[in-house]
Structures are given as C-alpha cells and as structure tokens.
Amino acid sequence: MLKNFSPKSLGINGRQSELIELALTYGFASMDIDMYEILRRSQRTTADDAAKFLKAAMGEGMGRLEQVGGFQLEINLDADDDAFTSQVGALHPLTELAADLEATRAYITLPAATDRLPYHEYFTTQQNRLSQVAEVLSAKGIRLGVGFNAAKVLRESKEFDFVRNVEGLIAIVKAVGNPNVGYIVDTWDWAVGDGGMDQLSEIPGSEIVAVRLGSLADDADPAKATRVDCVLPTAEGGLNHVNVVKHLIASGFEGPISPSASPTRYKGQTRENTVKEAQEAIDAICTAAGVEVKPLPMDLIEDIPYEPTPVA
C-alpha cells in the first residue's frame, strides 16, 4: 500500500510546489495530482516545465515520492451526449501526459441522481459511458477507479435516484466487466451508503483502485449526513478502519490509501496542521493493523547525532 496525500480529499488547495512540500514533509509515499492543471500549464509552456516540481520530488530514497497516486477526471457522467463525447475526447492529451508521469490510476464519481432516465435505463447508459472512458485510459495503462456519493441529502433536487449506496456501486462495476475498472473504497461513503465489512471482504485487492479513509462525525445524523460530516479517520466508527487495512493487506491491495475529511471541520487551522493531523490519523490506523510506518523525514534528521566540525 501507498500512504497517499490527496489534497482534494482534505479540501486543501495550493501551488503544486506547496502541496508537494506538504506531502514530503509528512512522509507520504504518493500524491494525487491535478492532471488537468498540469496539462493546461504544459500547453502554455512545456510538459517538462509544467511538471518540474513533481518530477523533482519523485524517485527512490527517503524523503521522496515513489509515484503519482492518481488523478480525478473532469468528466460529468450525467452530461448530455455531446458534452460527454467532448469530455472523453479531451482524455487523449491528458492520458499522454499521465503516461509521461507514469500515473496509472484515474478516478470518477457516479451520479447520485439524474433528471434524464429512470434507474434501469440510466444504469445501461452509465455502464456504456464507463466502458468508453476505461477504453481510452487502458490504451495508456491507466486504471479507472469508480466511486459514489452516499450523502443522504442531495444538493440539488433530481427526479430519479441513482447510485447512492454500496450495493449500487458493486452492481455497476461488475456490469462493466472490465478488469481495468475497479472500486474507489471511500470508507465514509461506504458506511453512510449502507455498506459493511462483509461486502468489503468479498472484494479482492486487485479490484480496488484506491482507498480513502474518513469517519462520520460524532454529532452527525447518519440519516441526514452530507460530506461536511466527514472527519479524519478514527480506528473505529462506521467501519473499523484497522480491520479495513488488515483486509487490504490480506487481499494484496497495492494502491494508494488516503486520509479524508471535510475542510469545514477544520476551519481556523493551517493547511500544515490539517495535513499533520491527517498523517497522524492514518499512521495510527496502519500501525494498529500491523503495517510498518516509516519515520518522517524530519524525525530522521533529528535522530542524526551532532558531530562538531573539526577545527584545523
């Protein structure tokens, strides 16, 4: 597994160099990136210039990123046919850039509801659209991770419900039937979306593209929960995160695992403090699950004994 820094999952923004510095400081082995922003910058300058900070941070050795965790696709699966076709077409230069950065995972979120079609007809539409996206990605060796939104209260009223629970997510990923398409296991969505360890334990690690750990806030009503009720992961609550990590280890999952939380829960504190708390939360869970957690680069520096410079 890769301890992964996902700025989007923590609601953190910043320059590429600033986000990379946070990832390195707090010992993350990989990092989700905004591939579209890098593509836009590369079109103004060059691909090498647009990704220079990322490439400088990657490589072997302590204090470096091992790889790109993944990137979110700017594809609206509920768009009309022309808009969707245009968004899929835009994937071609994006996947060229992703391949150059050796990024092998892309993320997409299923619509929670729609005004377009009733569930069963819309299911077929989404099955076909996911297959189209996966086909473009697979040409560059990129897997598609599919997630869903379990929030009980939709931000906008739609006529027809779609995927808002674990059962629906599993059904559509299986229906696509493409080994290049797998699950995003977000434990907040999993718990709020009526999922349990029994369902998770049936999914082999090879079918999971990425994992995000987040807990439902103690003051939240599960029946009315929205994403603002997601807090940094604790060992228990909703899903037992220690058991989740143990399952991931046993099933051979080798992808990114990221802490997740709503930024509204951490108003008034710095980005660095939020990342520090996120790192401590995921490290504690992994340690309890029997995973060796590497020391932070700053801790290694502090452990180096002082040796005075000889006087000539």
Side-chain angles (χ1 to χ4, degrees):
M1 292 187 302
L2 295 163
K3 185 172 81 171
N4 185 65
F5 175 45
S6 176
K8 183 179 178 64
S9 294
L10 294 170
I12 291 176
N13 299 308
R15 294 186 179 93
Q16 183 186 113
S17 58
E18 295 170 339
L19 297 175
I20 291 170
E21 183 178 0
L22 285 170
L24 295 178
T25 299
Y26 291 99
F28 289 92
S30 61
M31 174 179 165
D32 290 348
I33 61 175
D34 186 339
M35 195 70 73
Y36 288 86
E37 175 59 24
I38 296 177
L39 178 62
R40 287 189 286 268
R41 292 176 59 187
S42 72
Q43 293 167 340
R44 295 193 298 267
T45 56
T46 66
D48 285 340
D49 183 68
K52 62 184 178 183
F53 295 112
L54 181 62
K55 289 185 175 182
M58 294 174 66
E60 297 181 359
M62 180 62 66
R64 297 177 71 84
L65 294 175
E66 296 178 19
Q67 58 181 272
V68 172
F71 58 96
Q72 184 71 31
L73 296 178
E74 293 180 4
I75 290 181
N76 178 8
L77 290 170
D78 193 41
D80 63 42
D81 291 342
D82 289 344
F84 174 75
T85 299
S86 176
Q87 291 167 4
V88 172
L91 284 178
H92 293 284
L94 192 80
T95 56
E96 291 280 353
L97 178 61
D100 180 58
L101 296 174
E102 299 181 357
T104 59
R105 305 172 194 88
Y107 312 139
I108 200 165
T109 304
L110 293 166
T114 183
D115 287 327
R116 292 167 60 82
L117 293 166
Y119 184 93
H120 293 293
E121 295 175 61
Y122 196 58
F123 187 98
T124 301
T125 297
Q126 292 304 313
Q127 180 183 350
N128 293 335
R129 288 187 169 190
L130 290 172
S131 295
Q132 290 180 55
V133 173
E135 183 178 353
V136 177
L137 295 176
S138 62
K140 295 296 181 181
I142 302 169
R143 297 192 69 197
L144 178 62
V146 182
F148 74 103
N149 182 355
K152 299 299 184 184
V153 180
L154 294 176
R155 295 188 182 276
E156 53 183 336
S157 178
K158 297 284 187 179
E159 185 176 0
F160 306 109
D161 263 3
F162 194 54
V163 173
R164 293 172 60 192
N165 57 35
V166 170
E167 182 181 352
L169 173 68
I170 292 173
I172 198 162
V173 171
K174 286 185 175 180
V176 173
N178 186 331
N180 202 52
V181 178
Y183 301 92
I184 296 173
V185 174
D186 183 311
T187 58
W188 187 90
D189 283 315
W190 203 271
V192 176
D194 305 321
M197 275 303 303
D198 54 340
Q199 291 158 304
L200 181 57
S201 63
E202 295 177 356
I203 300 177
S206 60
E207 295 181 11
I208 300 174
V209 176
V211 175
R212 298 167 188 159
L213 304 184
S215 291
L216 181 65
D218 290 339
D219 60 355
D221 180 354
K224 299 179 180 179
T226 66
R227 198 69 197 188
V228 299
D229 297 315
C230 179
V231 298
L232 289 171
T234 56
E236 299 180 2
L239 285 183
N240 184 305
H241 282 122
V242 174
N243 289 341
V244 169
V245 174
K246 286 181 176 179
H247 166 66
L248 295 173
I249 297 168
S251 65
F253 173 69
E254 297 180 347
I257 178 170
S258 314
S260 176
S262 168
T264 59
R265 291 281 173 171
Y266 302 92
K267 283 184 177 179
Q269 68 180 38
T270 64
R271 290 181 307 181
E272 182 164 355
N273 196 58
T274 299
V275 177
K276 178 176 182 292
E277 290 184 8
Q279 166 258 311
E280 290 173 346
I282 199 167
D283 281 0
I285 290 166
C286 289
T287 298
V291 179
E292 180 183 358
V293 175
K294 296 179 181 179
L296 303 184
M298 67 184 83
D299 293 337
L300 290 177
I301 293 172
E302 292 173 355
D303 288 342
I304 298 174
Y306 171 72
E307 183 176 355
T309 302
V311 177

